[in-house]
Amino acid sequence: MTESLSPLLPAIYKPDEGTVINPLWYDYVPIIIFFAFVIGVGFMSKSKASSSDEFLTSGRSLPAWVTGLAFVSANLGAVEIMGMSANGAQYGLPTFHYFWVGAIPAMIFLGLVMMPFYYGSKVRSVPEFMFMRYGTAAHLVNALSFALAQLLIAGVNLYLLGAIVNALLGWPLWVALIVAAVIVLTYITVGGLAAAIYNEVLQFFVIVAALLPLTLIGLYKVGGWQGLTEKITAAVDANAMEGTAYADVSNQLHSWPGTLMSGFEHPAVSAAGIVFGLGFVLAFGYWTTNFVEVQRAMASDSIAAAQKTPLIGTFVKMFVPFIVIVPGMVAAVHVQEIRQLKQMVMQGQTVEAASAATNGVAYNDAILLLMRDVLPNGLLGMAITGLLASFMAGMAANISAFNTVFTVDIYERYINPTASDEKYLKIGRNATLTACIVAIFTALIASQYANLMDYLQQLFSMFNAPLFATFILGMFWKRATAAGGVWGLVGGTGAALVINVLNWTGIFSLPGQGIAFVAAGSAFVADIIITVIVSLVTAPKPEKELVGFCYAMTPKEHLRDPHLDSLPIWRRPVPIGIFAFVCVLLLNGFFH
């Protein structure tokens, strides 16, 4: 989700020049152990996948701390690790907004407001909630588009995984793709969603164990935080062209107003774009309606646990920027290739021109080259394992979400609604196999795109933003109708498409991340307006059918855990959410 992710395959890798690093035999030990563990977890979870409900939803039996860590781990994929380190190298501290503005407030809202509806309504997927609230047309559009998106994004994660293995270890790309797909297929097919979630918890700790030493050693190499800021300041003084956003070093060393990242020159406009475009529309659209994330919370063993899943995740999310973005910032002043690339950009060259002039080096290479420069053999093996874990977690999350939506929202709803549970279990496993096979081919498709992350971000602005508008209206306005929901989705998507077409044709463009903010904001506003207008001239559903799906029609006891009063106050969702919000405000203030 960043314009610096081009190309996706590590640009500094040349097949005839060897690998980026030189692993020794003992660097393979943690990789082998990791693969053995994830497959073992799959077989250990087999007992939790004996029915279709257990296979697809884990039977709603998992504790909050497990689903909370899995909630974050499912998002620690290619974009998070590679993309945000690239953004850290290019933009600096404003990249923290993707976490502290563009994730945590939405996660708190999901936990406190939306999860009681999702969990209390007994739906098995987000599209199924759409069916209950808006009917067949909106449901079918949402289910088909989501299923397709998961296959494409699973391919992106799989391709990046194969590309990293290809660059770091020298394995042929097709071998890496097949090996990774087979491993993910094995543990999800055997253990279902429970295996995916438990492995995501394992993968989270592996990722932290890999990236934390990289961050600490990298900071040590540049003289700590003070040394890092001094080196960034010196680079700006020596290279930044006057009159550009790079000329003011505070644009890299302070998170607000974020003009370098947003592309808006006026500080107030930049801050407003970040808060509304990123922090509200894009973030709420992603975190509250993306079934890949919501599915983890739905696997919890109670309403309170479901609410606490994203809330527990917020505290982890506060920490992630320090092990993802900071290494990118270190690479920008410590790694020779990234330092040269950024010098040319600060001097006025485009990222593409600077990359071409530096033998194809891209910001996306920052974390790989930093690993090469600061980690000794042994720690290199752990770092490689961490990258493998992140990409496998992302792919597994996409696959497990796909098999649920395909089985529940497509096969059971429209193809064979009267089949036996055994048949649905078989379909779920077959969907997993199909998705892994298709992901290999969508990974090959992904390899043809030089700027795939920009493409994905444009898709998010066209689909996530209007979907959030449709959801939020349906949840809080009982007058929203089925026709309004469908036409709102179409109109919102069209509004974002217009903005993106204007950008593609060069008629209207912004540097940084501004286009995505504008497109998402346009989609949200258009969806709201169209849904309201169409709903006012069409018939709404009877009020009795809105119980559990519309706030005004749902008794409060339906949205409240019956055992909530027996929990100590520090284990209740509302106090946890308030504490998380205060913490993120303090972080934004401290790193302003």
Side-chain angles (χ1 to χ4, degrees):
M1 299 168 66
T2 165
E3 77 173 340
S4 63
L5 293 181
S6 171
L8 286 175
L9 181 66
I12 35 72
Y13 173 63
K14 305 293 186 295
D16 57 344
E17 296 179 10
T19 57
V20 175
I21 63 176
N22 296 308
L24 299 178
W25 68 266
Y26 49 83
D27 287 312
Y28 289 88
V29 172
I31 299 174
I32 295 171
I33 294 174
F34 169 71
F35 284 162
F37 263 98
V38 296
I39 293 176
V41 168
F43 282 96
M44 290 172 62
S45 303
K46 188 175 181 179
S47 62
K48 295 180 178 292
S50 58
S51 69
S52 64
D53 182 60
E54 289 176 337
F55 182 80
L56 298 172
T57 70
S58 81
R60 295 191 168 188
S61 61
L62 302 180
W65 75 268
V66 170
T67 54
L69 289 178
F71 186 92
V72 175
S73 184
N75 186 247
L76 275 173
V79 173
E80 194 92 339
I81 303 298
M82 303 296 290
M84 293 307 162
S85 64
N87 264 354
Q90 185 171 3
Y91 302 122
L93 275 179
T95 309
F96 280 49
H97 288 317
Y98 275 99
F99 298 83
W100 296 345
V101 176
I104 291 174
M107 292 165 69
I108 295 172
F109 182 82
L110 171 64
L112 296 183
V113 178
M114 296 190 73
M115 277 317 304
F117 282 94
Y118 283 139
Y119 197 93
S121 63
K122 307 297 183 183
V123 297
R124 291 163 291 178
S125 70
V126 170
E128 191 172 31
F129 186 92
M130 180 72 84
F131 176 82
M132 298 296 186
R133 179 60 182 89
Y134 283 107
T136 300
H139 169 261
L140 187 58
V141 169
N142 184 212
L144 290 174
S145 62
F146 179 84
L148 176 61
Q150 296 320 297
L151 293 175
L152 292 173
I153 299 172
V156 172
N157 276 299
L158 182 59
Y159 167 67
L160 281 171
L161 189 156
I164 294 300
V165 172
N166 179 250
L168 296 182
L169 301 179
W171 297 4
L173 180 60
W174 66 271
V175 172
L177 293 179
I178 293 175
V179 169
V182 168
I183 292 173
V184 172
L185 170 65
T186 299
Y187 72 73
I188 293 182
T189 301
V190 172
L193 179 62
I197 288 178
Y198 279 119
N199 265 323
E200 284 161 3
V201 174
L202 168 66
Q203 288 157 345
F204 169 77
F205 288 110
V206 172
I207 292 166
V208 172
L211 296 182
L212 185 57
L214 180 65
T215 303
L216 296 176
I217 296 173
L219 281 173
Y220 174 78
K221 293 285 187 180
V222 297
W225 184 258
Q226 182 176 352
L228 176 62
T229 59
E230 290 174 353
K231 285 179 170 57
I232 292 175
T233 302
V236 168
D237 292 341
N239 298 286
M241 179 183 293
E242 289 296 328
T244 67
Y246 279 107
D248 185 354
V249 72
S250 65
N251 285 333
Q252 294 182 61
L253 296 180
H254 294 277
S255 59
W256 294 99
T259 55
L260 184 63
M261 185 188 77
S262 70
F264 298 112
E265 294 183 2
H266 194 283
V269 175
S270 176
I274 290 171
V275 171
F276 181 72
L278 173 63
F280 179 61
V281 180
L282 280 174
F284 278 64
Y286 177 82
W287 290 102
T288 65
T289 64
N290 183 5
F291 183 52
V292 172
E293 305 298 333
V294 174
Q295 185 183 34
R296 273 74 198 142
M298 286 182 173
S300 302
D301 56 14
S302 66
I303 291 180
Q307 288 185 276
K308 287 186 288 186
T309 292
L311 298 178
I312 290 171
T314 61
F315 297 101
V316 181
K317 203 72 173 173
M318 293 177 200
F319 165 74
V320 170
F322 296 104
I323 61 172
V324 173
I325 296 172
V326 172
M329 297 174 64
V330 171
V333 297
H334 184 71
V335 175
Q336 180 180 357
E337 296 93 334
I338 303 298
R339 188 170 66 246
Q340 291 175 345
L341 172 69
K342 190 164 183 178
Q343 286 174 354
M344 293 181 182
V345 172
M346 287 193 292
Q347 290 166 359
Q349 295 191 38
T350 64
V351 174
E352 293 75 15
S355 178
T358 53
N359 196 31
V361 171
Y363 284 117
N364 195 44
D365 303 318
I367 201 164
L368 300 178
L369 292 174
L370 186 65
M371 286 167 49
R372 178 202 66 186
D373 285 358
V374 306
L375 293 182
N377 287 101
L379 280 180
L380 274 177
M382 180 56 72
I384 295 170
T385 306
L387 290 180
L388 294 178
S390 71
F391 297 151
M392 286 181 66
M395 178 188 174
N398 298 134
I399 297 298
S400 60
F402 170 84
N403 65 25
T404 301
V405 169
F406 180 84
T407 304
V408 170
D409 294 291
I410 298 176
Y411 184 82
E412 181 179 345
R413 179 70 61 185
Y414 299 106
I415 299 175
N416 192 354
T418 59
S420 65
D421 184 78
E422 183 180 358
K423 180 67 173 179
Y424 292 138
L425 176 60
K426 182 178 179 181
I427 290 298
R429 289 196 165 115
N430 289 340
T432 303
L433 172 62
T434 302
C436 287
I437 294 173
V438 172
I440 294 174
F441 291 97
T442 57
L444 297 176
I445 295 173
S447 68
Q448 304 302 311
Y449 287 88
N451 208 354
L452 187 61
M453 288 305 162
D454 278 352
Y455 169 68
L456 288 178
Q457 188 169 354
Q458 290 156 2
L459 291 181
F460 292 149
S461 71
M462 289 186 287
F463 295 109
N464 281 17
L467 181 61
F468 171 62
T470 302
F471 260 82
I472 210 70
L473 264 183
M475 197 170 284
F476 290 101
W477 187 42
K478 65 180 182 180
R479 190 65 179 76
T481 67
V486 173
W487 285 109
L489 282 174
V490 172
T493 302
L497 178 61
V498 169
I499 299 297
N500 284 318
V501 168
L502 292 175
N503 177 52
W504 297 334
T505 56
I507 297 175
F508 173 67
S509 62
L510 289 169
Q513 312 294 317
I515 282 294
F517 301 163
V518 173
S522 300
F524 181 85
V525 172
D527 187 294
I528 292 289
I529 293 174
I530 293 171
T531 302
V532 169
I533 292 174
V534 174
S535 293
L536 290 175
V537 296
T538 53
K541 294 181 72 172
E543 291 187 356
K544 64 180 181 180
E545 295 182 17
L546 298 179
V547 175
F549 304 97
C550 182
Y551 187 81
M553 298 294 101
T554 304
K556 290 185 178 180
E557 57 267 23
H558 286 206
L559 305 176
R560 190 174 187 273
D561 193 303
H563 305 292
L564 185 65
D565 291 337
S566 65
L567 296 174
I569 191 169
W570 55 272
R571 291 182 58 192
R572 298 180 189 180
V574 171
I576 294 174
I578 293 173
F579 182 62
F581 189 71
V582 171
C583 288
V584 80
L585 285 179
L586 293 174
L587 284 170
N588 271 290
F590 187 79
F591 289 93
H592 72 281

